[in-house]
Amino acid sequence: MGICDGRTVIITGAARGLGRAYALAFAAEGANVVVNDIGTSLGGEGRDTSAADEVVAEIIAASGKAIANYEDVTDWDAAGRIVEAAIAAFGDLHVVVNNAGIVRDRMFVSATIEEWDATMHVHLRGHFCISRHAVNYWRAKQKDGRDPGARIINTTSGAGLQGSIAQAAYSTAKGGIASLTLVQAAELGRYGITANALAPSARTRMTEQAFADKMATQGADFDVMDPANIAPAVVWLGSAESRDVTGCVFELEGGKIMIEDGWREGPVVDKSARWQPEEVGAAVERLLAARTPPRKVWGS
């Protein structure tokens, strides 16, 4: 018996790296898994369905239940078909793990509009489309008197929480996903749906390229950057046991589980009257001296 017995989960970008680790872990805990991946390159080019097929074969060989799906999460109608495929194959849907993403690293002064749009498209539109279709299904269940026990698990990033040099588009998209999670949690709880986000740090195609030295931990007693380290927390968030946890952003790395404190009001100076422009500088100096210093932007 696993903590996700009988639950059905869609995982986008599930053929490699973190998505693959999530798929295997969910299946090991009894979930029915939809392995969604169109098999693009790191930058979003090309198509290759074989990687998703391999993950499904691995799950089935271990006596798990899974199907492959090659639909594009950024296409509104295709995203609907992913949800339909999960229900057709397994009779229900409980969890959406939004993991698919691309990266187009570029210093801001060299960034192009095409790279910007492509990054926003995959991360923000991709998170929206499939979750929106899933919510339609879950809301209908709730209105029919059935508790959907549903979970949305989004993927933000340290880049989205604190910024990252040469990743303006990626950081912006991931920051937007963190905000989206807060809104989903606030709006969807009434329908029996929770929404949480992850900022995972692990070895993937993306991080091996950007942080090669940090990711090279394979020979250590504990491989801190093994993507399988992230999966247990994701599986728990997808289980019935996480019903009371929503609107949270978790940073995960190795054996660490950290919950983000989020944006909150800091020091304040109140004149109780309108400020003159020449007065503002001194007030800001006081605020800067009193605040908790922010984390540095990655790479700065």
Side-chain angles (χ1 to χ4, degrees):
M1 295 287 288
I3 66 170
C4 285
D5 271 348
R7 290 174 70 78
T8 297
V9 54
I10 295 170
I11 305 171
T12 70
R16 300 179 179 88
L18 286 164
R20 175 182 175 275
Y22 301 162
L24 296 176
F26 267 106
E29 290 294 329
N32 310 309
V33 182
V34 178
V35 178
N36 167 261
D37 204 301
I38 61 176
T40 66
S41 69
L42 188 56
E45 297 89 9
R47 296 290 178 95
D48 177 12
T49 60
S50 64
D53 292 336
E54 290 170 6
V55 176
V56 170
E58 190 171 351
I59 290 172
I60 292 173
S63 302
K65 297 179 181 179
I67 61 169
N69 180 280
Y70 323 113
E71 299 277 10
D72 184 347
V73 294
T74 69
D75 181 293
W76 172 253
D77 292 333
R81 291 193 293 270
I82 300 170
V83 171
E84 291 169 359
I87 297 165
F90 302 116
D92 207 346
L93 174 64
H94 304 89
V95 186
V96 170
V97 179
N98 286 305
N99 174 69
I102 65 169
V103 66
R104 302 286 182 88
D105 287 351
R106 190 86 63 184
M107 297 298 284
F108 185 75
V109 296
S110 303
T112 68
I113 191 66
E114 292 78 16
E115 292 166 342
W116 182 273
D117 287 347
T119 305
M120 299 302 155
H121 194 71
V122 174
H123 289 280
L124 294 175
R125 184 181 171 98
H127 270 63
F128 171 81
C129 287
I130 191 165
S131 296
R132 182 68 173 76
H133 282 290
V135 166
N136 283 350
Y137 171 71
W138 292 329
R139 185 166 176 258
K141 281 187 69 174
Q142 191 270 343
K143 286 190 171 185
D144 196 36
R146 297 176 291 159
D147 179 9
R151 309 283 181 264
I152 297 172
I153 303 172
N154 294 327
T155 304
T156 181
S157 165
L161 302 176
Q162 65 188 92
S164 180
I165 296 292
Q167 292 188 321
Y170 182 76
S171 297
T172 300
K174 289 302 192 182
I177 288 167
S179 296
L180 170 65
T181 304
L182 301 181
V183 176
Q184 288 174 328
E187 292 184 356
L188 302 178
R190 72 190 72 179
Y191 305 117
I193 305 166
T194 68
N196 294 285
L198 319 167
S201 179
R203 190 168 50 251
T204 67
R205 290 187 298 171
M206 195 177 296
T207 57
E208 279 185 313
Q209 198 174 83
F211 309 106
D213 291 342
K214 181 179 179 181
M215 296 300 138
T217 59
Q218 294 94 327
D221 291 340
F222 175 41
D223 184 357
V224 175
M225 291 301 161
D226 186 340
N229 297 331
I230 309 299
V234 182
V235 172
W236 183 84
L237 284 171
S239 74
E241 294 182 11
S242 68
R243 64 179 63 84
D244 298 323
V245 179
T246 193
C248 296
V249 176
F250 296 92
E251 285 203 68
L252 306 170
E253 178 183 298
K256 299 177 184 176
I257 300 175
M258 179 169 65
I259 192 165
E260 291 296 297
D261 243 354
W263 289 94
R264 59 182 66 251
E265 293 180 351
V268 61
V269 175
D270 184 359
K271 182 183 176 182
S272 298
R274 183 178 301 159
W275 291 88
Q276 296 301 313
E278 64 270 17
E279 298 175 315
V280 172
V284 171
E285 285 185 13
R286 289 172 58 191
L287 294 174
L288 290 175
R291 72 171 178 170
T292 300
R295 291 188 294 181
K296 289 185 177 181
V297 171
W298 281 105
S300 66

